PDB file of all heavy atoms in Angstrom:
ATOM      1  N   GLY A1459     100.125  86.689 110.966  1.00 94.00           N
ATOM      2  CA  GLY A1459      99.962  85.334 111.325  1.00 94.00           C
ATOM      3  C   GLY A1459      99.028  85.117 112.555  1.00 94.00           C
ATOM      4  O   GLY A1459      98.359  84.055 112.706  1.00 94.00           O
ATOM      5  N   PHE A1460      98.854  86.182 113.395  1.00 92.00           N
ATOM      6  CA  PHE A1460      97.924  86.130 114.492  1.00 92.00           C
ATOM      7  C   PHE A1460      96.689  86.831 114.216  1.00 92.00           C
ATOM      8  O   PHE A1460      95.832  87.056 115.102  1.00 92.00           O
ATOM      9  CB  PHE A1460      98.689  86.772 115.698  1.00 92.00           C
ATOM     10  CG  PHE A1460      99.816  85.884 116.239  1.00 92.00           C
ATOM     11  CD1 PHE A1460     101.135  86.254 115.982  1.00 92.00           C
ATOM     12  CD2 PHE A1460      99.498  84.735 116.987  1.00 92.00           C
ATOM     13  CE1 PHE A1460     102.111  85.472 116.448  1.00 92.00           C
ATOM     14  CE2 PHE A1460     100.557  83.872 117.421  1.00 92.00           C
ATOM     15  CZ  PHE A1460     101.884  84.256 117.203  1.00 92.00           C
ATOM     16  N   GLY A1461      96.446  87.222 113.010  1.00 93.00           N
ATOM     17  CA  GLY A1461      95.188  87.908 112.621  1.00 93.00           C
ATOM     18  C   GLY A1461      95.086  89.367 112.835  1.00 93.00           C
ATOM     19  O   GLY A1461      93.995  89.951 112.800  1.00 93.00           O
ATOM     20  N   ASP A1462      96.241  90.090 113.156  1.00 96.00           N
ATOM     21  CA  ASP A1462      96.099  91.509 113.454  1.00 96.00           C
ATOM     22  C   ASP A1462      95.705  92.335 112.218  1.00 96.00           C
ATOM     23  O   ASP A1462      95.334  93.474 112.421  1.00 96.00           O
ATOM     24  CB  ASP A1462      97.422  91.978 113.904  1.00 96.00           C
ATOM     25  CG  ASP A1462      97.746  91.549 115.395  1.00 96.00           C
ATOM     26  OD1 ASP A1462      97.038  90.697 115.927  1.00 96.00           O
ATOM     27  OD2 ASP A1462      98.708  92.165 115.950  1.00 96.00           O
ATOM     28  N   PHE A1463      95.789  91.753 110.975  1.00 98.00           N
ATOM     29  CA  PHE A1463      95.409  92.581 109.821  1.00 98.00           C
ATOM     30  C   PHE A1463      94.263  91.823 109.101  1.00 98.00           C
ATOM     31  O   PHE A1463      94.235  91.815 107.808  1.00 98.00           O
ATOM     32  CB  PHE A1463      96.612  92.754 108.897  1.00 98.00           C
ATOM     33  CG  PHE A1463      97.718  93.461 109.580  1.00 98.00           C
ATOM     34  CD1 PHE A1463      98.912  92.777 109.995  1.00 98.00           C
ATOM     35  CD2 PHE A1463      97.642  94.777 110.056  1.00 98.00           C
ATOM     36  CE1 PHE A1463      99.923  93.413 110.688  1.00 98.00           C
ATOM     37  CE2 PHE A1463      98.686  95.413 110.632  1.00 98.00           C
ATOM     38  CZ  PHE A1463      99.790  94.709 110.945  1.00 98.00           C
ATOM     39  N   GLY A1464      93.398  91.160 109.769  1.00 97.00           N
ATOM     40  CA  GLY A1464      92.324  90.356 109.131  1.00 97.00           C
ATOM     41  C   GLY A1464      92.885  89.071 108.713  1.00 97.00           C
ATOM     42  O   GLY A1464      93.898  88.612 109.138  1.00 97.00           O
ATOM     43  N   SER A1465      92.263  88.525 107.677  1.00 98.00           N
ATOM     44  CA  SER A1465      92.804  87.280 107.062  1.00 98.00           C
ATOM     45  C   SER A1465      94.164  87.624 106.407  1.00 98.00           C
ATOM     46  O   SER A1465      94.367  88.694 105.840  1.00 98.00           O
ATOM     47  CB  SER A1465      91.871  86.755 106.028  1.00 98.00           C
ATOM     48  OG  SER A1465      90.625  86.265 106.668  1.00 98.00           O
ATOM     49  N   ALA A1466      95.024  86.588 106.374  1.00 98.00           N
ATOM     50  CA  ALA A1466      96.365  86.815 105.835  1.00 98.00           C
ATOM     51  C   ALA A1466      96.911  85.520 105.175  1.00 98.00           C
ATOM     52  O   ALA A1466      96.553  84.396 105.602  1.00 98.00           O
ATOM     53  CB  ALA A1466      97.300  87.331 106.884  1.00 98.00           C
ATOM     54  N   LEU A1467      97.791  85.652 104.234  1.00 98.00           N
ATOM     55  CA  LEU A1467      98.553  84.608 103.718  1.00 98.00           C
ATOM     56  C   LEU A1467      99.957  84.997 103.715  1.00 98.00           C
ATOM     57  O   LEU A1467     100.291  86.170 103.105  1.00 98.00           O
ATOM     58  CB  LEU A1467      98.072  84.338 102.299  1.00 98.00           C
ATOM     59  CG  LEU A1467      98.679  83.241 101.518  1.00 98.00           C
ATOM     60  CD1 LEU A1467      98.317  81.803 102.147  1.00 98.00           C
ATOM     61  CD2 LEU A1467      98.177  83.166  99.997  1.00 98.00           C
ATOM     62  N   ILE A1468     100.863  84.236 104.374  1.00 98.00           N
ATOM     63  CA  ILE A1468     102.266  84.645 104.380  1.00 98.00           C
ATOM     64  C   ILE A1468     103.076  83.495 103.644  1.00 98.00           C
ATOM     65  O   ILE A1468     103.047  82.402 104.036  1.00 98.00           O
ATOM     66  CB  ILE A1468     102.751  84.770 105.880  1.00 98.00           C
ATOM     67  CG1 ILE A1468     101.946  85.772 106.579  1.00 98.00           C
ATOM     68  CG2 ILE A1468     104.250  85.125 105.927  1.00 98.00           C
ATOM     69  CD1 ILE A1468     101.132  85.313 107.757  1.00 98.00           C
ATOM     70  N   ILE A1469     103.765  83.988 102.582  1.00 98.00           N
ATOM     71  CA  ILE A1469     104.493  83.111 101.652  1.00 98.00           C
ATOM     72  C   ILE A1469     105.922  83.412 101.725  1.00 98.00           C
ATOM     73  O   ILE A1469     106.343  84.572 101.615  1.00 98.00           O
ATOM     74  CB  ILE A1469     103.921  83.208 100.226  1.00 98.00           C
ATOM     75  CG1 ILE A1469     102.490  82.955 100.176  1.00 98.00           C
ATOM     76  CG2 ILE A1469     104.753  82.377  99.236  1.00 98.00           C
ATOM     77  CD1 ILE A1469     102.045  81.502 100.421  1.00 98.00           C
ATOM     78  N   THR A1470     106.702  82.410 101.976  1.00 98.00           N
ATOM     79  CA  THR A1470     108.265  82.575 101.861  1.00 98.00           C
ATOM     80  C   THR A1470     108.651  81.804 100.593  1.00 98.00           C
ATOM     81  O   THR A1470     108.340  80.739 100.318  1.00 98.00           O
ATOM     82  CB  THR A1470     108.925  81.937 103.061  1.00 98.00           C
ATOM     83  OG1 THR A1470     108.376  82.468 104.259  1.00 98.00           O
ATOM     84  CG2 THR A1470     110.388  82.191 103.028  1.00 98.00           C
ATOM     85  N   ILE A1471     109.460  82.581  99.802  1.00 98.00           N
ATOM     86  CA  ILE A1471     110.020  82.007  98.598  1.00 98.00           C
ATOM     87  C   ILE A1471     111.514  82.099  98.523  1.00 98.00           C
ATOM     88  O   ILE A1471     112.156  82.920  99.147  1.00 98.00           O
ATOM     89  CB  ILE A1471     109.382  82.739  97.339  1.00 98.00           C
ATOM     90  CG1 ILE A1471     109.813  84.211  97.314  1.00 98.00           C
ATOM     91  CG2 ILE A1471     107.883  82.539  97.219  1.00 98.00           C
ATOM     92  CD1 ILE A1471     109.409  84.941  96.031  1.00 98.00           C
ATOM     93  N   ASN A1472     112.099  81.274  97.649  1.00 96.00           N
ATOM     94  CA  ASN A1472     113.511  81.428  97.334  1.00 96.00           C
ATOM     95  C   ASN A1472     113.649  82.480  96.221  1.00 96.00           C
ATOM     96  O   ASN A1472     112.681  82.938  95.649  1.00 96.00           O
ATOM     97  CB  ASN A1472     114.150  80.071  97.065  1.00 96.00           C
ATOM     98  CG  ASN A1472     113.706  79.452  95.733  1.00 96.00           C
ATOM     99  OD1 ASN A1472     113.049  80.020  94.926  1.00 96.00           O
ATOM    100  ND2 ASN A1472     113.994  78.162  95.612  1.00 96.00           N
ATOM    101  N   ASP A1473     114.882  82.701  95.751  1.00 89.00           N
ATOM    102  CA  ASP A1473     115.086  83.774  94.733  1.00 89.00           C
ATOM    103  C   ASP A1473     114.585  83.334  93.384  1.00 89.00           C
ATOM    104  O   ASP A1473     114.553  84.134  92.464  1.00 89.00           O
ATOM    105  CB  ASP A1473     116.512  84.165  94.687  1.00 89.00           C
ATOM    106  CG  ASP A1473     117.559  83.017  94.525  1.00 89.00           C
ATOM    107  OD1 ASP A1473     117.036  81.850  94.406  1.00 89.00           O
ATOM    108  OD2 ASP A1473     118.737  83.290  94.322  1.00 89.00           O
ATOM    109  N   GLU A1474     114.180  82.078  93.235  1.00 93.00           N
ATOM    110  CA  GLU A1474     113.620  81.630  91.936  1.00 93.00           C
ATOM    111  C   GLU A1474     112.094  81.646  91.901  1.00 93.00           C
ATOM    112  O   GLU A1474     111.485  81.259  90.976  1.00 93.00           O
ATOM    113  CB  GLU A1474     114.138  80.202  91.577  1.00 93.00           C
ATOM    114  CG  GLU A1474     115.683  80.176  91.433  1.00 93.00           C
ATOM    115  CD  GLU A1474     116.133  78.745  91.376  1.00 93.00           C
ATOM    116  OE1 GLU A1474     115.394  77.766  91.646  1.00 93.00           O
ATOM    117  OE2 GLU A1474     117.345  78.652  91.099  1.00 93.00           O
ATOM    118  N   GLY A1475     111.481  82.005  93.046  1.00 95.00           N
ATOM    119  CA  GLY A1475     110.063  82.052  93.168  1.00 95.00           C
ATOM    120  C   GLY A1475     109.428  80.793  93.679  1.00 95.00           C
ATOM    121  O   GLY A1475     108.242  80.677  93.784  1.00 95.00           O
ATOM    122  N   LYS A1476     110.259  79.786  94.126  1.00 96.00           N
ATOM    123  CA  LYS A1476     109.675  78.570  94.627  1.00 96.00           C
ATOM    124  C   LYS A1476     109.231  78.813  96.051  1.00 96.00           C
ATOM    125  O   LYS A1476     109.940  79.365  96.822  1.00 96.00           O
ATOM    126  CB  LYS A1476     110.662  77.456  94.577  1.00 96.00           C
ATOM    127  CG  LYS A1476     110.147  76.106  95.110  1.00 96.00           C
ATOM    128  CD  LYS A1476     111.115  75.009  94.950  1.00 96.00           C
ATOM    129  CE  LYS A1476     110.400  73.748  95.432  1.00 96.00           C
ATOM    130  NZ  LYS A1476     111.143  72.815  96.131  1.00 96.00           N
ATOM    131  N   ILE A1477     108.029  78.298  96.410  1.00 97.00           N
ATOM    132  CA  ILE A1477     107.472  78.502  97.701  1.00 97.00           C
ATOM    133  C   ILE A1477     108.153  77.448  98.619  1.00 97.00           C
ATOM    134  O   ILE A1477     108.090  76.244  98.388  1.00 97.00           O
ATOM    135  CB  ILE A1477     105.933  78.319  97.702  1.00 97.00           C
ATOM    136  CG1 ILE A1477     105.230  79.485  96.899  1.00 97.00           C
ATOM    137  CG2 ILE A1477     105.343  78.270  99.118  1.00 97.00           C
ATOM    138  CD1 ILE A1477     103.824  79.308  96.706  1.00 97.00           C
ATOM    139  N   ILE A1478     108.775  78.026  99.729  1.00 96.00           N
ATOM    140  CA  ILE A1478     109.356  77.190 100.721  1.00 96.00           C
ATOM    141  C   ILE A1478     108.644  77.285 102.137  1.00 96.00           C
ATOM    142  O   ILE A1478     109.108  76.614 103.061  1.00 96.00           O
ATOM    143  CB  ILE A1478     110.857  77.407 100.807  1.00 96.00           C
ATOM    144  CG1 ILE A1478     111.169  78.876 101.095  1.00 96.00           C
ATOM    145  CG2 ILE A1478     111.554  76.971  99.551  1.00 96.00           C
ATOM    146  CD1 ILE A1478     112.589  79.209 101.427  1.00 96.00           C
ATOM    147  N   GLY A1479     107.744  78.219 102.175  1.00 96.00           N
ATOM    148  CA  GLY A1479     106.994  78.415 103.459  1.00 96.00           C
ATOM    149  C   GLY A1479     105.653  78.971 103.168  1.00 96.00           C
ATOM    150  O   GLY A1479     105.528  79.880 102.247  1.00 96.00           O
ATOM    151  N   CYS A1480     104.579  78.607 103.977  1.00 96.00           N
ATOM    152  CA  CYS A1480     103.231  79.097 103.745  1.00 96.00           C
ATOM    153  C   CYS A1480     102.556  79.101 105.070  1.00 96.00           C
ATOM    154  O   CYS A1480     102.389  78.007 105.660  1.00 96.00           O
ATOM    155  CB  CYS A1480     102.467  78.247 102.744  1.00 96.00           C
ATOM    156  SG  CYS A1480     100.726  78.658 102.533  1.00 96.00           S
ATOM    157  N   VAL A1481     102.108  80.274 105.509  1.00 96.00           N
ATOM    158  CA  VAL A1481     101.261  80.277 106.707  1.00 96.00           C
ATOM    159  C   VAL A1481      99.839  80.836 106.266  1.00 96.00           C
ATOM    160  O   VAL A1481      99.770  81.894 105.588  1.00 96.00           O
ATOM    161  CB  VAL A1481     101.856  81.313 107.735  1.00 96.00           C
ATOM    162  CG1 VAL A1481     100.843  81.458 108.892  1.00 96.00           C
ATOM    163  CG2 VAL A1481     103.170  80.724 108.223  1.00 96.00           C
ATOM    164  N   VAL A1482      98.856  80.073 106.652  1.00 97.00           N
ATOM    165  CA  VAL A1482      97.432  80.415 106.367  1.00 97.00           C
ATOM    166  C   VAL A1482      96.849  80.931 107.527  1.00 97.00           C
ATOM    167  O   VAL A1482      96.713  80.208 108.525  1.00 97.00           O
ATOM    168  CB  VAL A1482      96.697  79.195 105.774  1.00 97.00           C
ATOM    169  CG1 VAL A1482      95.223  79.559 105.426  1.00 97.00           C
ATOM    170  CG2 VAL A1482      97.349  78.585 104.561  1.00 97.00           C
ATOM    171  N   ALA A1483      96.340  82.159 107.585  1.00 97.00           N
ATOM    172  CA  ALA A1483      95.738  82.825 108.745  1.00 97.00           C
ATOM    173  C   ALA A1483      94.386  83.445 108.296  1.00 97.00           C
ATOM    174  O   ALA A1483      94.382  84.645 108.089  1.00 97.00           O
ATOM    175  CB  ALA A1483      96.627  83.818 109.357  1.00 97.00           C
ATOM    176  N   HIS A1484      93.330  82.598 108.173  1.00 97.00           N
ATOM    177  CA  HIS A1484      92.011  83.074 107.746  1.00 97.00           C
ATOM    178  C   HIS A1484      91.177  83.321 108.894  1.00 97.00           C
ATOM    179  O   HIS A1484      91.172  82.437 109.838  1.00 97.00           O
ATOM    180  CB  HIS A1484      91.405  82.089 106.713  1.00 97.00           C
ATOM    181  CG  HIS A1484      90.346  82.705 105.922  1.00 97.00           C
ATOM    182  ND1 HIS A1484      89.104  82.942 106.458  1.00 97.00           N
ATOM    183  CD2 HIS A1484      90.317  83.003 104.662  1.00 97.00           C
ATOM    184  CE1 HIS A1484      88.384  83.438 105.461  1.00 97.00           C
ATOM    185  NE2 HIS A1484      89.063  83.437 104.346  1.00 97.00           N
ATOM    186  N   THR A1485      90.427  84.450 108.943  1.00 96.00           N
ATOM    187  CA  THR A1485      89.476  84.687 110.098  1.00 96.00           C
ATOM    188  C   THR A1485      88.451  83.655 110.295  1.00 96.00           C
ATOM    189  O   THR A1485      87.852  83.507 111.398  1.00 96.00           O
ATOM    190  CB  THR A1485      88.923  86.072 110.001  1.00 96.00           C
ATOM    191  OG1 THR A1485      88.184  86.159 108.809  1.00 96.00           O
ATOM    192  CG2 THR A1485      89.932  87.149 110.035  1.00 96.00           C
ATOM    193  N   ALA A1486      88.110  82.865 109.249  1.00 96.00           N
ATOM    194  CA  ALA A1486      87.095  81.849 109.421  1.00 96.00           C
ATOM    195  C   ALA A1486      87.607  80.554 110.064  1.00 96.00           C
ATOM    196  O   ALA A1486      86.864  79.631 110.323  1.00 96.00           O
ATOM    197  CB  ALA A1486      86.467  81.535 108.027  1.00 96.00           C
ATOM    198  N   HIS A1487      88.912  80.436 110.201  1.00 95.00           N
ATOM    199  CA  HIS A1487      89.544  79.266 110.795  1.00 95.00           C
ATOM    200  C   HIS A1487      89.584  79.374 112.339  1.00 95.00           C
ATOM    201  O   HIS A1487      89.848  80.429 112.907  1.00 95.00           O
ATOM    202  CB  HIS A1487      90.994  79.035 110.296  1.00 95.00           C
ATOM    203  CG  HIS A1487      91.013  78.650 108.872  1.00 95.00           C
ATOM    204  ND1 HIS A1487      92.169  78.973 108.121  1.00 95.00           N
ATOM    205  CD2 HIS A1487      90.105  78.126 108.056  1.00 95.00           C
ATOM    206  CE1 HIS A1487      91.914  78.493 106.869  1.00 95.00           C
ATOM    207  NE2 HIS A1487      90.696  77.973 106.856  1.00 95.00           N
ATOM    208  N   GLU A1488      89.351  78.247 113.064  1.00 89.00           N
ATOM    209  CA  GLU A1488      89.390  78.151 114.460  1.00 89.00           C
ATOM    210  C   GLU A1488      90.944  78.224 114.944  1.00 89.00           C
ATOM    211  O   GLU A1488      91.241  78.938 115.859  1.00 89.00           O
ATOM    212  CB  GLU A1488      88.767  76.888 115.050  1.00 89.00           C
ATOM    213  CG  GLU A1488      87.256  76.889 114.814  1.00 89.00           C
ATOM    214  CD  GLU A1488      86.680  75.568 115.241  1.00 89.00           C
ATOM    215  OE1 GLU A1488      87.312  74.774 116.046  1.00 89.00           O
ATOM    216  OE2 GLU A1488      85.611  75.197 114.774  1.00 89.00           O
ATOM    217  N   LYS A1489      91.738  77.544 114.207  1.00 79.00           N
ATOM    218  CA  LYS A1489      93.154  77.549 114.522  1.00 79.00           C
ATOM    219  C   LYS A1489      93.852  78.657 113.721  1.00 79.00           C
ATOM    220  O   LYS A1489      93.816  78.552 112.423  1.00 79.00           O
ATOM    221  CB  LYS A1489      93.807  76.166 114.206  1.00 79.00           C
ATOM    222  CG  LYS A1489      93.128  75.064 115.050  1.00 79.00           C
ATOM    223  CD  LYS A1489      93.734  73.730 114.646  1.00 79.00           C
ATOM    224  CE  LYS A1489      92.993  72.647 115.445  1.00 79.00           C
ATOM    225  NZ  LYS A1489      93.172  71.395 114.881  1.00 79.00           N
ATOM    226  N   LYS A1490      94.484  79.613 114.336  1.00 77.00           N
ATOM    227  CA  LYS A1490      95.046  80.690 113.679  1.00 77.00           C
ATOM    228  C   LYS A1490      96.539  80.401 113.168  1.00 77.00           C
ATOM    229  O   LYS A1490      97.268  79.827 113.961  1.00 77.00           O
ATOM    230  CB  LYS A1490      95.115  81.901 114.529  1.00 77.00           C
ATOM    231  CG  LYS A1490      93.717  82.404 115.006  1.00 77.00           C
ATOM    232  CD  LYS A1490      92.822  82.931 113.912  1.00 77.00           C
ATOM    233  CE  LYS A1490      91.553  83.380 114.462  1.00 77.00           C
ATOM    234  NZ  LYS A1490      90.505  83.486 113.466  1.00 77.00           N
ATOM    235  N   GLY A1491      96.777  80.709 111.948  1.00 88.00           N
ATOM    236  CA  GLY A1491      98.136  80.755 111.467  1.00 88.00           C
ATOM    237  C   GLY A1491      98.779  79.354 111.370  1.00 88.00           C
ATOM    238  O   GLY A1491      99.826  79.103 111.997  1.00 88.00           O
ATOM    239  N   PHE A1492      98.159  78.464 110.626  1.00 93.00           N
ATOM    240  CA  PHE A1492      98.821  77.141 110.460  1.00 93.00           C
ATOM    241  C   PHE A1492      99.692  77.091 109.217  1.00 93.00           C
ATOM    242  O   PHE A1492      99.472  77.840 108.268  1.00 93.00           O
ATOM    243  CB  PHE A1492      97.773  76.001 110.513  1.00 93.00           C
ATOM    244  CG  PHE A1492      96.749  76.043 109.329  1.00 93.00           C
ATOM    245  CD1 PHE A1492      97.055  75.532 108.074  1.00 93.00           C
ATOM    246  CD2 PHE A1492      95.488  76.567 109.671  1.00 93.00           C
ATOM    247  CE1 PHE A1492      96.135  75.598 107.067  1.00 93.00           C
ATOM    248  CE2 PHE A1492      94.528  76.556 108.621  1.00 93.00           C
ATOM    249  CZ  PHE A1492      94.844  76.114 107.286  1.00 93.00           C
ATOM    250  N   SER A1493     100.677  76.229 109.175  1.00 92.00           N
ATOM    251  CA  SER A1493     101.588  76.106 108.104  1.00 92.00           C
ATOM    252  C   SER A1493     101.203  74.962 107.149  1.00 92.00           C
ATOM    253  O   SER A1493     100.798  73.928 107.669  1.00 92.00           O
ATOM    254  CB  SER A1493     103.011  75.882 108.590  1.00 92.00           C
ATOM    255  OG  SER A1493     103.975  75.782 107.608  1.00 92.00           O
ATOM    256  N   SER A1494     101.351  75.190 105.864  1.00 90.00           N
ATOM    257  CA  SER A1494     100.970  74.128 104.825  1.00 90.00           C
ATOM    258  C   SER A1494     101.774  74.405 103.636  1.00 90.00           C
ATOM    259  O   SER A1494     101.264  75.141 102.720  1.00 90.00           O
ATOM    260  CB  SER A1494      99.453  74.130 104.673  1.00 90.00           C
ATOM    261  OG  SER A1494      99.090  73.028 103.784  1.00 90.00           O
ATOM    262  N   VAL A1495     102.966  73.874 103.501  1.00 82.00           N
ATOM    263  CA  VAL A1495     103.829  74.165 102.385  1.00 82.00           C
ATOM    264  C   VAL A1495     103.463  73.355 101.157  1.00 82.00           C
ATOM    265  O   VAL A1495     103.492  73.879 100.048  1.00 82.00           O
ATOM    266  CB  VAL A1495     105.311  73.902 102.789  1.00 82.00           C
ATOM    267  CG1 VAL A1495     106.170  74.120 101.571  1.00 82.00           C
ATOM    268  CG2 VAL A1495     105.688  74.773 103.858  1.00 82.00           C
ATOM    269  N   GLY A1496     103.176  72.064 101.248  1.00 80.00           N
ATOM    270  CA  GLY A1496     103.035  71.202 100.060  1.00 80.00           C
ATOM    271  C   GLY A1496     101.828  71.438  99.249  1.00 80.00           C
ATOM    272  O   GLY A1496     101.749  70.863  98.174  1.00 80.00           O
ATOM    273  N   ASP A1497     100.861  72.212  99.671  1.00 87.00           N
ATOM    274  CA  ASP A1497      99.618  72.319  99.040  1.00 87.00           C
ATOM    275  C   ASP A1497      99.459  73.549  98.176  1.00 87.00           C
ATOM    276  O   ASP A1497      98.321  73.816  97.703  1.00 87.00           O
ATOM    277  CB  ASP A1497      98.480  72.287 100.100  1.00 87.00           C
ATOM    278  CG  ASP A1497      98.492  71.056 100.875  1.00 87.00           C
ATOM    279  OD1 ASP A1497      98.643  69.957 100.262  1.00 87.00           O
ATOM    280  OD2 ASP A1497      98.247  71.089 102.087  1.00 87.00           O
ATOM    281  N   ILE A1498     100.525  74.266  97.970  1.00 96.00           N
ATOM    282  CA  ILE A1498     100.384  75.584  97.209  1.00 96.00           C
ATOM    283  C   ILE A1498     101.569  75.715  96.294  1.00 96.00           C
ATOM    284  O   ILE A1498     102.705  75.350  96.657  1.00 96.00           O
ATOM    285  CB  ILE A1498     100.257  76.747  98.276  1.00 96.00           C
ATOM    286  CG1 ILE A1498      99.894  78.062  97.604  1.00 96.00           C
ATOM    287  CG2 ILE A1498     101.575  76.879  99.128  1.00 96.00           C
ATOM    288  CD1 ILE A1498      99.390  79.085  98.549  1.00 96.00           C
ATOM    289  N   ASN A1499     101.324  76.412  95.208  1.00 96.00           N
ATOM    290  CA  ASN A1499     102.443  76.554  94.157  1.00 96.00           C
ATOM    291  C   ASN A1499     102.461  78.017  93.606  1.00 96.00           C
ATOM    292  O   ASN A1499     101.402  78.605  93.506  1.00 96.00           O
ATOM    293  CB  ASN A1499     102.287  75.541  93.036  1.00 96.00           C
ATOM    294  CG  ASN A1499     102.487  74.133  93.547  1.00 96.00           C
ATOM    295  OD1 ASN A1499     103.581  73.753  93.937  1.00 96.00           O
ATOM    296  ND2 ASN A1499     101.430  73.317  93.434  1.00 96.00           N
TER     297      ASN A1499
END
């Protein structure tokens, strides 16, 4: 989430595979590691 492994996507799911958490940490972003749950499936 802090960029230690380059760009990253961290997804948290429940046991049915539904996404309940999403952290976007792309090296091209100024703000590192923001959360955006509703925009991904």
Side-chain angles (χ1 to χ4, degrees):
F1460 291 104
D1462 285 15
F1463 303 108
S1465 293
L1467 182 67
I1468 300 117
I1469 302 291
T1470 303
I1471 61 171
N1472 65 15
D1473 56 355
E1474 297 168 353
K1476 182 177 185 218
I1477 295 175
I1478 57 173
C1480 171
V1481 174
V1482 179
H1484 198 288
T1485 57
H1487 290 156
E1488 292 175 24
K1489 298 174 183 167
K1490 302 291 181 201
F1492 61 81
S1493 180
S1494 186
V1495 178
D1497 299 321
I1498 191 164
N1499 294 298

